[in-house]
Amino acid sequence: MASTVPDPPSGSHPAPGALGQAAPAPERATRIEAHGIDHIPDAERHGRPRDLFSVWAAANVNYLSLVIGGALVLMGLSLWQSVAVIVVGNLFWLLTGLLATSGPAAGAPSEVITRAMYGVIGNRVMNAVGGWLVSVCYFALNLAAAAAAAFALVEQAGITANTGIKAGVIVAIAAFTLVISVYGHAMIMKIYLPKTLVLAAAFAVVAVAVLAHTDFSYRPAPPLTGPALWAALLAGTTLIASGPLSYTTSADFSRYLPRTSSRRAIVAWTALGAFLPSVVVSSLGAFAATAVDMSDPQAALEEMLPGWFYPVFLLALILGTVCVNALTAYSAGLALQAVGLSIRRSVSVLFDGAVAVAPTLYGLLVSNLLDTVSNSLRLIVVLIGPVMAIYATDIVLRRFRYDGRALADETPGSPFCYTGGVNPAGALALAAGLAAAAVCVDTLCTGPIAAAFGGLDLSLPAGMAVAAALYALLMVRLRLIGPVE
């Protein structure tokens, strides 16, 4: 049984420097990280759970949160309905924190830990779609948001942002982001605390300006009622929840912590670090939307902010988005390795960034950014909701315990080969969760259940509930997981 199988002989596992690398030297921010998806030995574990706070805080002070917060009001919600949706949707960060506990337990990234859920072969498929493809989509969406702010900054400097300039700006921001991702974990842990402080200071000024213009009694005319109101509330919650649900990779950033680290502390610092800035920044977007038209956030906020501060604000937006995208690109690189490609993590990161530039150019130069963001995030939740639910359920079933060295074993005798390399429980639960979400979704396409309920999008709760319940049932009934000591 996967949870109780002892460590196989040492010869059956990759050496600490996987993919033919020598054993890596201790982590330094100025040295490119040598570890990829290989197991992190106990001797190389370091840090404290509270170090995770700044990682998640810096990544969630970003332009996309402002856009989504403003979109809630544009959807027809009142100010306080929008704030309630923002708080409820961001509670899903608790699940992100829960998933982060598996990193120190296994000494491995999420992309490897999920072999326990899908099997050695099934996990490759899962990482190709649910890991790599979703990460690249998020990278593109965030890059588009940062580039939009950069275009405004270019115009502020008196330069016409034509198509060539815009393309150059997108490539430059992507390159800056990828430098952080290539250097990897130690660089992220080193620079995200000062970035958090800088971003907090910038957004404190934004908050003062926005609150001075906010109409705290704002209600749309006419206000939404009945099914239309419920449809907007559910759609808004799905938009907000797409942020925390996208981080099924949170173990990537906690895996260097000692295995004895407090699980409660890991959950708390991860969830709190993301929850607080996400709620504040998204709420500022909603507050601003009561006074100006947030369908064009740059132009709208320029009306509110002091003239001298507006360029600083644009720089802060770019910096915040770089922070979130550096995490996204880092995980995308690990996902590409987990698919089975024998390339260095640094090379895989660069490849991911290059791929993400194309949809970014489309989102900014061809499509409408707000529509692209809204439709993409709500559609992606159809997949990432069930994936998150299965991962969280597996952690609970295994009582937070994983054998990292067994997870690193991809040989036919691996305890995580299951049946032909696929865990039937994970595969069936994911398929059922996707089906349940698909028939309930209402975005680019409308599922039959959503249509029957007048556009009520129940894809998030339906997909997660079906996936979690079926996975737990099958893992127990098929005896794929046993008692843990």
Side-chain angles (χ1 to χ4, degrees):
M1 298 186 184
S3 61
T4 56
V5 172
D7 285 357
S10 58
S12 64
H13 297 300
L19 306 174
Q21 302 170 20
E27 274 204 311
R28 290 182 186 173
T30 54
R31 177 184 292 145
I32 293 177
E33 182 184 357
H35 279 299
I37 60 171
D38 51 303
H39 178 257
I40 309 297
D42 286 342
E44 295 183 38
R45 308 285 194 92
H46 57 84
R48 300 158 297 181
R50 69 185 185 189
D51 297 334
L52 297 170
F53 179 89
S54 59
V55 172
W56 294 102
N60 283 282
V61 181
N62 59 66
Y63 180 49
L64 199 57
S65 295
L66 269 176
V67 171
I68 294 174
L72 297 177
V73 173
L74 293 174
M75 289 166 58
L77 297 176
S78 72
L79 175 61
W80 296 112
Q81 287 169 343
S82 298
V83 171
V85 163
I86 288 168
V87 172
V88 171
N90 277 303
L91 288 175
F92 282 90
W93 285 111
L94 288 168
L95 284 178
T96 310
L98 175 64
L99 267 56
T101 63
S102 63
S110 294
E111 292 80 4
V112 170
I113 296 170
T114 47
R115 288 172 183 167
M117 287 137 250
Y118 304 106
V120 170
I121 303 301
N123 191 56
R124 292 184 180 182
V125 177
M126 184 62 236
N127 271 297
V129 180
W132 182 79
L133 184 59
V134 169
S135 292
V136 167
C137 287
Y138 268 96
F139 189 101
L141 288 173
N142 283 305
L143 180 56
F151 298 162
L153 190 61
V154 167
E155 295 282 357
Q156 285 274 312
I159 301 171
T160 301
N162 56 34
T163 300
I165 294 293
K166 288 182 177 181
V169 165
I170 291 170
V171 172
I173 295 173
F176 180 59
T177 302
L178 294 173
V179 167
I180 300 172
S181 303
V182 165
Y183 274 89
H185 182 268
M187 174 66 78
I188 290 169
M189 302 306 293
K190 180 77 172 178
I191 66 176
Y192 272 47
L193 177 57
K195 282 187 175 184
T196 298
L197 297 176
V198 169
L199 290 169
F203 271 81
V205 178
V206 175
V208 171
V210 169
L211 292 174
H213 291 81
T214 300
D215 177 1
F216 290 100
S217 62
Y218 173 82
R219 291 175 62 85
L224 294 178
T225 58
L229 174 59
W230 282 106
L233 290 172
L234 282 169
T237 301
T238 299
L239 269 179
I240 297 295
S242 66
L245 291 177
S246 69
Y247 284 105
T248 55
T249 56
S250 55
D252 297 359
F253 310 102
S254 62
R255 73 190 196 278
Y256 279 88
L257 291 175
R259 69 172 68 244
T260 55
S261 299
S262 166
R263 292 195 296 266
R264 290 184 180 179
I266 292 170
V267 173
W269 287 114
T270 298
L272 193 63
F275 178 86
L276 290 178
S278 294
V279 168
V280 170
V281 176
S282 296
S283 295
L284 287 176
F287 290 158
T290 67
V292 293
D293 181 7
M294 283 294 282
S295 60
D296 185 358
Q298 261 95 33
L301 291 168
E302 186 175 10
E303 298 177 22
M304 294 185 172
L305 298 173
W308 65 268
F309 179 73
Y310 186 62
V312 178
F313 168 66
L314 294 175
L315 284 171
L317 291 181
I318 296 168
L319 177 62
T321 308
V322 165
C323 289
V324 66
N325 256 359
L327 302 189
T328 303
Y330 181 82
S331 292
L334 294 174
L336 204 57
Q337 283 189 320
V339 168
L341 299 183
S342 296
I343 58 176
R344 289 180 177 272
R345 182 198 57 79
S346 54
V347 175
S348 65
V349 164
L350 293 173
F351 174 78
D352 299 333
V355 172
V357 167
T360 302
L361 291 170
Y362 171 80
L364 282 173
L365 305 182
V366 179
S367 179
N368 176 275
L369 177 60
L370 192 59
D371 289 342
T372 299
V373 168
S374 178
N375 291 328
S376 298
L377 294 183
R378 289 172 62 190
L379 196 58
I380 287 173
V381 166
V382 171
L383 171 62
I384 60 178
V387 170
M388 175 71 84
I390 290 171
Y391 197 159
T393 303
D394 191 77
I395 289 173
V396 174
L397 289 175
R398 296 180 193 277
R399 301 180 190 177
F400 301 86
R401 298 180 184 180
Y402 289 91
D403 183 343
R405 293 195 175 276
L407 285 165
D409 183 7
E410 294 189 81
T411 63
S414 165
F416 297 105
C417 260
Y418 297 106
T419 304
V422 177
N423 180 354
L428 291 172
L430 180 58
L434 286 172
V439 299
C440 295
V441 75
D442 180 34
T443 177
L444 291 175
C445 53
T446 301
I449 292 180
F453 283 89
L456 202 62
D457 189 335
L458 295 168
S459 58
L460 177 59
M464 294 188 72
V466 169
L470 186 57
Y471 183 74
L473 176 64
L474 291 175
M475 287 295 284
V476 173
R477 293 293 293 270
L478 297 177
R479 298 185 178 182
L480 295 175
I481 188 167
V484 179
E485 294 181 0

